[in-house]
Amino acid sequence: MSSMFKLSLLALTGSFLFTGCVSTPSQIENKKTVTINAVSANGIDAKIGSIELQDSAAGLVIKTNLNNLPSGPHGFHIHENGSCEPAEKDGKLGAALSAGGHYNPLKVGNHGNPLTGHMGDLPLLNVENDGTAKVSLLAPRLKLQDIQGLAVMIHAGSDNYSDDPKPLGGGGDRIACGVIQ
């Protein structure tokens, strides 16, 4: 190999490495880890794991690392307020009610699936028999900047992506929550 070719190859390799280093901070900025705690009408309880949120070309990638949940499918949503504290509704305290309703900036009238419903409607969270959920999900219409300061919520029951026969998919009680900071 000629010296000029080696020098060109070295310069090209160096530019790729430098470019990789330059792009790393923007990748880190578009990634957040959210602590998830069990919640009850009494308040915020023990930590049960974390959820990593990261922007991608296809939407928001959600990676769960959760424990101590009831097995089966669960409603999974982004809620409009950044709080997991209990609040009063109809004269009684409810778990994480201070998080408000589903994130719905477009004022969509009906609950639906992650492509047609509220912006905060996420895919079902399926929990294994041992109480763990270590899955990757995609919210194609969301970016991390859209949900900064909001809450992520896990419900006791499943979600049928409909308001029939029960409102908001029938997920029911809020059992786990985290604030996206």
Side-chain angles (χ1 to χ4, degrees):
M1 275 192 234
S2 74
S3 296
M4 187 56 113
F5 178 76
K6 288 179 183 176
L7 189 56
S8 297
L9 185 59
L10 181 61
L12 185 61
T13 303
S15 70
F16 283 130
L17 290 173
F18 181 75
T19 301
C21 291
V22 169
S23 65
T24 301
S26 65
Q27 292 169 350
I28 292 171
E29 290 172 13
N30 292 326
K31 183 179 189 179
K32 295 275 183 186
T33 301
V34 179
T35 299
I36 304 297
N37 291 76
V39 292
S40 71
N42 295 323
I44 299 170
D45 297 326
K47 177 181 175 181
I48 62 165
S50 63
I51 294 175
E52 182 181 280
L53 304 169
Q54 184 170 14
D55 286 331
S56 78
L60 187 68
V61 176
I62 303 164
K63 294 180 182 178
T64 67
N65 184 11
L66 302 167
N67 301 290
N68 300 318
L69 287 167
S71 65
H74 294 271
F76 193 38
H77 308 102
I78 302 295
H79 282 245
E80 63 189 348
N81 300 323
S83 177
C84 296
E85 295 292 334
E88 192 173 312
K89 182 178 179 182
D90 299 328
K92 77 179 206 182
L93 284 178
L97 288 180
S98 62
H102 295 176
Y103 175 58
N104 188 16
L106 302 177
K107 308 294 184 219
V108 174
N110 297 336
H111 173 64
N113 67 51
L115 294 174
T116 64
H118 305 140
M119 292 291 282
D121 292 338
L122 301 176
L124 280 177
L125 178 65
N126 287 302
V127 178
E128 300 295 328
N129 287 336
D130 66 358
T132 62
K134 297 179 188 329
V135 298
S136 290
L137 305 167
L138 180 67
R141 299 185 299 160
L142 291 177
K143 292 184 187 316
L144 190 52
Q145 70 182 21
D146 299 333
I147 59 172
Q148 191 73 30
L150 306 183
V152 61
M153 190 73 62
I154 301 169
H155 293 267
S158 187
D159 186 338
N160 69 359
Y161 302 118
S162 172
D163 286 320
D164 185 48
K166 293 183 178 180
L168 302 173
D173 291 339
R174 300 166 185 205
I175 61 169
C177 180
V179 177
I180 304 161
Q181 299 181 3

